[in-house]
């Protein structure tokens, strides 16, 4: 996209509605769900997504929205890449899929087209043995760019025929959708293409089917099952939607933990060389049944020859996100930067009935790394001579892409660093039990916060952030509980007598759970917190994520100079760092030590929000063409209020 100045981006904020996220990918209006087909081509990152342009609830008629970026953080909207064709196999919706480059390097989008059984104009029903008896018929379809020399891939046209028309006969499947390429000819010794499709055996459990072909758009044959959860439907789901399979790179040494640059990885395994711990694992992920469920992942072995993932011996299933809004992720192998990227769908959780012109956004892009598990690190550090002592288990480490820091506003009136307010490098900040430290200087609902907290004494039960509210839907508290290892967001926690935040409030709602890799006793917790209006994404230093919605409204604005500076100033952003103490603790017990804090206001991801897409462009996208097949600190304290 055309380069714009920092000031230009700042000015663009006036075009961004203040009651919606601004630095997450989302359409100008309407409904968004699954991310589809992330692709890097000709210097641009392409992101596609499920989209209803003229409504804010899910419905049939989904199109593929399209946005492009050179840096993953500043984006430009383009016309929809795929729209339904009346009377076609996708007449009632262009469901999820993937993107790849064909044998000649031409971008190709593979997707599931759907037509309602009741839509007589969209063709006959499938043969009885291939009819899944769903309200809609699924076919596997494709589009290619009208002009591959256009780096933005602005316009697309459909392949006239389905590259797979029917599901396997007599399998009793409950779905057949969401294609995802797992290998291509010449990759890992393979002489063919291979892909997976999400499915499940009715009333039994989920499954992922594997297909292979010599050509991308023709000749696909069912190879078998990648893996399955038959008999486990009540725990892992009956239909495994949006399946993913990709090999993870090992986390580099000295990686910023959770995106907090001042706290890097110092584990023995990282500095000793993660390659000593065995082959890197494959990441297998599914989204079961419906968006009210979490997405699950396993780490394990993939047999490229047999085209099977060893689910029984894999580590998992684990929740990909501790929150309650992320679903249907998709990945991109960012080969130029040696990393695997993931986006998910961040759903809405509104409780207030009102008129809205948008619903949903994508998560910030995450990097996925394979990191030696605690057991592996212990064994590797305990033996420097015997390779047999090194286990092969790994953990998933997720962190935000470093490019997000480009959106930070670094002027003195728009950011705050704790280190700038401390008298010297040996000083520390203590927040006493039941006290709060207002986050100074920064204002508004679009923020990036780095935070490193430490339990200062046993009387402290939890530490975190209090997000105050200006709306009837209420604020929330982001808390880490030191004894249980639970990271959570607590909602509706108002004491009915004092109307103040209270963990003991009746009816408080909680979203989160125990960390798989909590900080060791006596060690600090590192957090990277993105707050984009209602969208809250929290990354821990050990690579776990919690995503939630907090509809707290827009904090009261301040004067142009900020007007709120220094430790102890009130918070224009409506955010306090808090320390929760045990009910039995007295006096100043229950303190939290703040080792690091930086907060920045954020620029929008889209400098320009376009109007509606021209009708001619939609027609062009829908029109098919025929193509051939293919040390001692000084304490500063914040006392209890």
């Amino acid at each position: 996209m055309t380069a714009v100045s920092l000031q230009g981006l700042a000015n663009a904020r006036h075009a961004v509605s203040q009651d919606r996220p601004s630095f997450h990918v989302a359409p100008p209006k309407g409904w968004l769900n699954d991310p589809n087909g992330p692709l890097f081509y000709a210097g641009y990152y392409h992101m596609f997504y499920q989209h209803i342009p003229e409504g804010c609830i899910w419905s049939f008629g989904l199109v593929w929205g399209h946005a492009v970026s050179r840096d993953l953080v500043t984006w430009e909207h383009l016309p929809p890449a795929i729209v339904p064709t009346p009377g076609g196999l996708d007449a009632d919706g262009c469901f999820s899929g993937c993107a790849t480059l064909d044998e000649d390097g031409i971008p190709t989008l593979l997707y599931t087209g759907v037509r309602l059984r009741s839509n007589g104009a969209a063709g006959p029903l499938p043969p009885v043995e291939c009819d899944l008896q769903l309200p809609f018929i699924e076919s596997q379809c494709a589009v290619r760019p009208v002009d591959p020399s256009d780096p933005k891939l602005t316009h697309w046209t459909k392949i006239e025929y389905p590259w797979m028309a029917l599901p396997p006969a007599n399998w009793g499947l409950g779905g057949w959708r969401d294609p995802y390429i797992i290998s291509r000819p010449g990759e890992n010794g393979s002489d063919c293409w291979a892909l997976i499709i999400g499915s499940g055996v009715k009333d039994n459990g989920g499954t992922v089917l594997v297909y292979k072909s010599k050509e991308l758009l023709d000749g696909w044959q069912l190879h078998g099952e990648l893996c399955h959860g038959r008999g486990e439907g009540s725990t892992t789901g009956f239909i495994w939607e949006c399946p993913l399979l990709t090999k993870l790179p090992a986390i580099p040494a000295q990686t910023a933990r959770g995106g907090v640059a001042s706290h890097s990885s110092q584990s023995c395994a990282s500095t000793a060389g993660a390659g000593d711990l065995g082959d890197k694992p494959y990441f297998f992920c599914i989204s079961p049944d419906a968006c009210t469920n979490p997405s699950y992942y396993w780490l394990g072995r993939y047999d490229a020859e047999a085209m099977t993932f060893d689910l029984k011996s894999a580590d998992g299933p684990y929740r990909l996100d501790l929150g309650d809004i992320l679903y249907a992720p998709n990945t991109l192998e960012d080969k130029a930067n040696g990393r695997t990227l993931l986006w998910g769908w961040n759903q809405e959780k509104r409780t207030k009935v009102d008129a809205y012109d948008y619903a949903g956004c994508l998560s910030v892009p995450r990097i996925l790394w394979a990191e030696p598990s605690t057991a592996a690190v212990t064994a590797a550090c305990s033996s420097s001579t015997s390779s047999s002592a090194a286990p092969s288990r790994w953990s998933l480490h997720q962190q935000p892409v470093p490019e997000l820091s480009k959106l930070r506003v670094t002027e003195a009136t728009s950011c705050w660093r704790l280190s700038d307010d401390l008298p010297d490098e040996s000083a520390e900040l203590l927040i006493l039990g039941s006290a709060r430290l207002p986050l100074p200087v920064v204002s508004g609902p679009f923020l990036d916060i780095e935070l490193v907290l430490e339990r200062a004494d046993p009387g402290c039960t939890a530490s975190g952030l209090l997000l105050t509210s200006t709306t009837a839907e209420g604020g929330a508290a982001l808390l880490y509980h030191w004894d249980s290892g639970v990271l959570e967001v607590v909602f509706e926690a108002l004491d009915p007598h004092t109307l103040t935040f209270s963990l003991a409030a009746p009816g408080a709602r909680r979203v989160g759970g125990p960390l798989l890799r909590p900080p060791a006793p006596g060690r600090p917790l590192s957090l990277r917190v993105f707050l984009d209006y209602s969208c809250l994404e929290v990354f821990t230093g050990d690579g776990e994520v919690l995503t939630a919605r907090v509809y707290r409204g827009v904090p009261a604005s301040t004067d142009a100079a900020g007007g709120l500076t220094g430790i102890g100033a009130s918070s224009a952003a409506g955010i306090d760092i808090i320390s929760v103490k045990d009910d039995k603790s007295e006096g100043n017990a229950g303190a939290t030590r703040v080792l690091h804090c930086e907060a920045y206001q954020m620029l929008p991801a889209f400098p320009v929000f376009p109007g509606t897409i021209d009708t001619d462009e939609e027609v062009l996208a829908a029109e098919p063409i025929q193509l051939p097949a293919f040390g001692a600190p000084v304490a500063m304290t914040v006392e209890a209020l």
Side-chain angles (χ1 to χ4, degrees):
M1 60 191 298
T2 304
V4 295
S5 67
L6 184 70
Q7 186 60 48
L9 279 171
N11 292 339
R13 181 171 302 289
H14 297 294
V16 179
S17 176
Q18 294 289 295
D19 65 350
R20 59 172 290 165
S22 76
F23 61 85
H24 286 72
V25 171
K29 65 176 183 177
W31 168 273
L32 171 149
N33 56 284
D34 310 3
N36 294 149
L39 175 71
F40 183 78
Y41 179 74
Y44 283 89
Y45 291 95
H46 295 258
M47 177 52 67
F48 307 92
Y49 49 85
Q50 297 281 277
H51 180 37
I52 298 291
E54 300 300 331
C56 291
I57 59 173
W58 189 94
S59 68
F60 285 101
L62 287 153
V63 309
W64 274 37
H66 185 194
V68 294
S69 174
R70 286 193 175 275
D71 61 5
L72 290 173
V73 292
T74 53
W75 294 84
E76 174 187 356
H77 288 296
L78 293 176
I82 319 175
V83 302
T85 298
L89 297 178
D90 63 359
D92 295 296
C94 307
F95 280 17
S96 293
C98 66
T100 190
L101 303 180
D102 72 5
E103 298 90 343
D104 299 317
I106 304 300
T108 305
L109 306 182
L110 309 178
Y111 69 101
T112 301
V114 300
R115 53 195 172 97
L116 291 170
R117 302 181 72 89
S118 58
N119 187 347
L125 297 178
V128 174
E129 64 272 17
C130 296
D131 191 342
L132 306 187
Q133 296 296 318
L134 301 175
F136 49 85
I137 312 301
E138 297 165 319
S139 304
Q140 309 310 321
C141 307
V143 301
R144 305 181 81 193
V146 172
D147 180 9
S149 67
D150 171 15
K152 294 184 180 180
L153 303 173
T154 307
H155 303 297
W156 299 76
T157 190
K158 293 179 180 178
I159 307 304
E160 196 170 58
Y161 54 88
W163 50 272
M164 277 204 294
L166 297 169
N170 301 314
W171 273 55
L173 300 178
W176 186 63
R177 53 184 174 269
D178 311 332
Y180 179 88
I181 295 287
I182 60 173
S183 69
R184 53 189 299 126
E187 193 173 77
N188 299 325
S190 175
D191 62 350
C192 65
W193 293 89
L195 63 77
I196 55 179
I197 287 184
S199 189
V201 178
K202 290 180 179 178
D203 303 320
N204 199 324
T207 187
V208 174
L209 306 180
V210 182
Y211 291 82
K212 62 180 181 178
S213 175
K214 295 290 186 180
E215 300 178 346
L216 179 59
L217 294 180
D218 196 24
W220 286 95
Q221 299 293 323
L222 177 64
H223 177 78
E225 292 176 288
L226 177 79
C227 57
H228 67 81
R230 290 195 297 275
E232 301 291 335
S234 60
T235 55
T236 59
F238 292 93
I239 300 293
W240 286 359
E241 296 185 314
C242 302
L244 307 173
L245 180 71
T246 186
K247 190 173 186 178
L248 297 180
I251 187 169
Q254 307 304 314
T255 297
R257 308 296 290 179
V260 180
S262 64
H263 289 76
S264 298
S265 174
Q266 301 292 336
S267 71
C268 171
S270 294
T271 56
D276 298 331
L277 295 172
D279 198 18
K280 313 307 176 294
Y282 275 80
F283 168 80
F284 171 63
C285 180
I286 54 99
S287 296
D289 295 340
C291 60
T292 51
N293 296 320
S295 294
Y296 292 109
Y297 74 90
W298 290 256
L299 299 180
R301 294 189 297 270
Y302 170 65
D303 185 328
E305 183 175 352
M307 295 185 182
T308 56
F309 180 79
D310 189 353
L311 196 66
K312 290 184 178 180
S313 68
D315 289 333
Y318 301 120
R319 290 166 60 182
L320 182 64
D321 192 288
L322 290 173
D324 63 346
I325 66 171
L326 185 132
Y327 192 74
N330 212 316
T331 60
L332 168 65
E333 188 177 349
D334 188 10
K335 294 182 178 180
N337 295 295
R339 59 190 183 179
T340 298
L341 304 179
L342 177 143
W343 291 260
W345 164 31
N346 287 351
Q347 305 170 66
E348 302 289 343
K349 288 287 182 177
R350 298 186 180 107
T351 58
K352 180 182 177 183
V353 177
D354 205 344
Y356 303 97
D357 65 356
Y358 76 96
C361 67
L362 299 186
S363 67
V364 296
R366 307 178 182 182
I367 307 174
L368 303 185
W369 303 111
E371 182 172 32
S373 68
T374 302
V377 172
T378 301
C381 291
S382 65
S383 176
S384 59
T385 58
S386 174
S387 60
S388 62
S392 59
R393 296 301 188 185
W394 297 79
S395 298
L396 175 66
H397 185 105
Q398 306 178 70
Q399 68 175 58
V401 294
E403 288 91 337
L404 285 162
S405 295
K406 294 179 181 179
L407 296 181
R408 290 175 167 179
V409 182
T410 57
E411 284 83 356
T413 57
S414 301
C415 70
W416 180 71
R417 302 176 185 88
L418 172 62
S419 59
D420 293 342
D421 277 357
L422 293 178
D424 56 63
E425 293 183 358
S426 66
E428 69 175 8
L429 178 65
L430 286 176
I431 302 177
L432 302 183
S434 300
R436 61 176 68 181
L437 171 67
L439 194 66
V441 182
V442 295
S443 62
F446 313 111
L447 300 170
D448 178 2
I449 303 169
E450 295 182 7
L451 193 61
V452 181
L453 304 174
E454 186 177 69
R455 189 184 203 177
D457 68 68
C460 174
T461 62
S463 307
L465 296 175
L466 180 63
L467 311 175
T468 58
S469 173
T470 61
T471 74
E473 288 186 82
L478 168 67
L479 293 173
Y480 177 69
H481 298 266
W482 296 100
D483 291 328
S484 65
V486 167
L487 181 69
E488 65 177 0
V489 181
V490 184
F491 301 87
E492 294 121 31
L494 282 181
D495 186 302
H497 304 291
T498 64
L499 296 182
T500 58
F501 175 81
S502 171
L503 284 174
R509 181 169 63 90
R510 289 171 159 81
V511 170
L515 296 177
L516 293 174
R517 297 176 299 283
R523 300 295 296 172
L525 173 73
S526 296
L527 299 175
R528 179 84 175 270
V529 180
F530 295 97
L531 185 59
D532 193 6
Y533 183 62
S534 63
C535 190
L536 174 69
E537 288 183 82
V538 184
F539 292 79
T540 74
D542 285 302
E544 299 183 67
V545 195
L546 188 162
T547 308
R549 290 281 184 175
V550 182
Y551 298 98
R552 66 191 195 103
V554 179
S557 61
T558 59
D559 55 69
L564 304 172
T565 62
I567 294 175
S570 59
S571 174
I575 298 176
D576 300 332
I577 307 173
I578 61 174
S579 185
V580 181
K581 71 176 181 179
D582 190 311
D583 292 339
K584 298 178 181 179
S585 298
E586 299 179 354
N588 293 332
T592 294
R593 182 176 291 110
V594 183
L595 301 179
H596 170 83
C597 184
E598 294 184 5
Y600 301 87
Q601 294 170 209
M602 294 286 276
L603 297 168
F606 292 91
V608 177
F609 274 74
T612 57
I613 302 302
D614 187 82
T615 303
D616 291 339
E617 294 176 332
E618 290 191 358
V619 172
L620 181 59
E623 185 176 319
I625 59 173
Q626 180 68 51
L627 292 175
F630 321 141
V634 177
M636 299 177 63
T637 61
V638 177
E639 298 182 356
L641 299 178

